[in-house]
Amino acid sequence: MQELSKNEDTKHIPFIFLSAKTERKDVRKGMNLGADDYITKPFNEDELVSAIESRLAKAALIKDDLTKTKQSKPLPNDTLHTLNDLKNFFDDVGETFLFSKGDVIYRESENSNYIYLIREGVVKNYKIDEDGKELITALYKEDDLFGYTSFTHNLPYQESATAMEDTELVGISKHELKDILDNNHRLALELIELLTDNLSSIKSQLLQMAYSSVNKKTAATILRFAEKINNKPEDPIKISRNDLASVAGVAPETFIRTLSKFKKEGLIDVQGRNIVVLNINKLQHIL
C-alpha cells in the first residue's frame, strides 16, 4: 500500500481490507495503513459489493476533481512568455505569506528557497556591516519581484529582507521558477533585464553614498522613496528616519538636520513622522 501511494497512477486506487481479525486494534492498524474500508469475516456478500461500489464512486470523484484542477492550473511551459505572465502565475499558484511591519522575511545566509512577488506592502533588502550598521540595498513595493539569488546554484540569500509595513507576499520555489525559465527563453531575457536594472540602481546608490554631498544624498533619498514607494510623488513618505538615513548613507542625526534645512527652504514639509514633498523640481535640481 505504501508503494502504491507513492505512484501518481495508483495512489487513488481504493483499498479494502477483508480480514478475520476483528479486534479494534487490528481494524485501527489497517485503517492507519491507508485502507479505505475494513470488513471482517464472516461477511455478507451485499455488504462487500456495497463497500466496493461506494469506494469506486469516491475514487471516481477524486479523479474527476484532480482532472479539473490540472486543467484549470496554468501550464508554465505553454503560457508564460512575459514578466506579467509570470506575475499572474505567482498570483494563481503561489504560496501566500503575511508579514507585519518590522517582521524579518529572511536573513542573510539563510537558504534561498523562495522567490517572492509583493501583493501589498513595502520590503527592504539590507546588509549589516561589522559595526552593526544597516545598509539598505534595495526597496520593493507592490508588484515587485525579489528574493532571487542564483537560479542554477543553491546559494543562500546574500542580504536580509524585512517588511517596512504590513505586507502580503506570494512565493514560488526557486526550483519551480528555474523549470519555468528553462522552457521560456523570452521570459528569462525579461528577468535578466530586470536584474540588470536592479544592479544599475545599486551601483548608482553606492556612487551617491561615496561621492555626493549630504544635501545630494538626502534629496536623492527623498526622491527615491517618493517615486519608488508612493503612488504619487506628493504622497506622504511614511518611512522611519533611520531607514531613510540608511539608504542615504549618512548618520540619522545628519539626515534629520538636513531635513530641517529642506523644510525651512520650502522643499518639504514634516508632518509628525511623515515627510511630504512640496517642490519636487527644486529637490531634483539639487542632484
Side-chain angles (χ1 to χ4, degrees):
M1 287 180 62
Q2 291 177 343
E3 291 301 319
L4 290 173
S5 66
K6 295 177 182 178
N7 190 314
E8 287 294 329
D9 295 328
T10 58
K11 65 186 297 184
H12 297 296
I13 294 176
F15 196 98
I16 299 175
F17 266 114
L18 191 61
S19 174
K21 296 182 178 181
T22 60
E23 293 187 16
R24 180 174 295 180
K25 65 177 183 179
D26 296 316
V27 176
R28 186 182 299 114
K29 182 179 179 181
M31 299 303 290
N32 287 340
L33 286 173
D36 294 273
D37 209 339
Y38 191 105
I39 298 177
T40 59
K41 298 178 181 179
F43 60 88
N44 181 283
E45 183 177 326
D46 291 338
E47 179 187 5
L48 177 60
V49 172
S50 176
I52 292 173
E53 290 177 344
S54 174
R55 297 307 167 185
L56 287 175
K58 182 179 178 181
L61 287 174
I62 293 174
K63 183 178 180 180
D64 185 54
D65 287 342
L66 288 173
T67 301
K68 290 179 180 178
T69 300
K70 289 179 180 179
Q71 289 174 346
S72 62
K73 183 177 179 179
L75 300 176
N77 293 348
D78 297 331
T79 62
L80 303 187
H81 303 297
T82 68
L83 211 51
N84 282 334
D85 291 338
L86 179 63
K87 291 177 179 180
N88 289 335
F89 180 76
F90 269 79
D91 266 329
D92 290 338
V93 304
E95 184 177 351
T96 299
F97 301 87
L98 299 176
F99 296 93
S100 299
K101 180 180 179 180
D103 284 351
V104 175
I105 299 167
Y106 56 78
R107 299 184 188 277
E108 184 177 354
S109 78
E110 289 182 349
N111 289 333
S112 55
N113 299 319
Y114 283 92
I115 312 295
Y116 298 100
L117 173 72
I118 301 178
R119 273 184 178 158
E120 184 179 359
V122 179
V123 173
K124 65 177 179 180
N125 274 159
Y126 58 94
K127 296 180 75 71
I128 304 294
D129 66 15
E130 295 178 353
D131 298 323
K133 183 179 178 181
E134 179 183 290
L135 170 63
I136 295 179
T137 56
L139 300 169
Y140 301 100
K141 64 175 181 177
E142 181 181 335
D143 205 42
D144 282 345
L145 293 165
F146 75 99
Y148 29 76
T149 50
S150 171
F151 301 129
T152 57
H153 298 87
N154 190 26
L155 296 178
Y157 288 115
Q158 303 299 299
E159 52 201 355
S160 301
T162 293
M164 300 183 75
E165 57 185 50
D166 291 347
T167 298
E168 180 181 356
L169 309 176
V170 281
I172 64 173
S173 72
K174 184 171 65 175
H175 300 295
E176 187 171 8
L177 180 59
K178 180 182 181 299
D179 290 340
I180 292 172
L181 297 179
D182 283 342
N183 294 283
N184 295 275
H185 294 164
R186 178 183 170 187
L187 175 58
L189 289 174
E190 284 203 28
L191 196 56
I192 289 172
E193 186 174 348
L194 176 64
L195 294 172
T196 302
D197 289 342
N198 288 345
L199 288 174
S200 297
S201 177
I202 293 173
K203 181 179 178 180
S204 297
Q205 181 185 353
L206 292 174
L207 288 172
Q208 168 197 304
M209 293 173 63
Y211 300 111
S212 296
S213 66
V214 172
N215 283 356
K216 285 186 177 181
K217 291 178 181 179
T218 304
T221 300
I222 293 172
L223 289 170
R224 184 179 179 188
F225 274 87
E227 295 170 359
K228 175 68 178 176
I229 303 302
N230 291 345
N231 293 322
K232 300 177 182 178
E234 61 270 19
D235 288 344
I237 299 173
K238 302 177 181 180
I239 306 296
S240 73
R241 302 292 189 268
N242 285 339
D243 281 335
L244 290 168
S246 174
V247 173
V250 299
E253 298 80 5
T254 303
F255 189 84
I256 291 171
R257 284 197 299 270
T258 310
L259 287 182
S260 298
K261 177 184 176 183
F262 284 179
K263 181 180 179 181
K264 291 178 181 178
E265 295 174 355
L267 305 180
I268 64 170
D269 188 23
V270 178
Q271 301 172 353
R273 295 185 177 182
N274 301 332
I275 299 171
V276 179
V277 176
L278 299 179
N279 196 323
I280 193 169
N281 291 329
K282 285 189 176 181
L283 278 176
Q284 291 171 338
H285 185 69
I286 293 175
L287 306 181

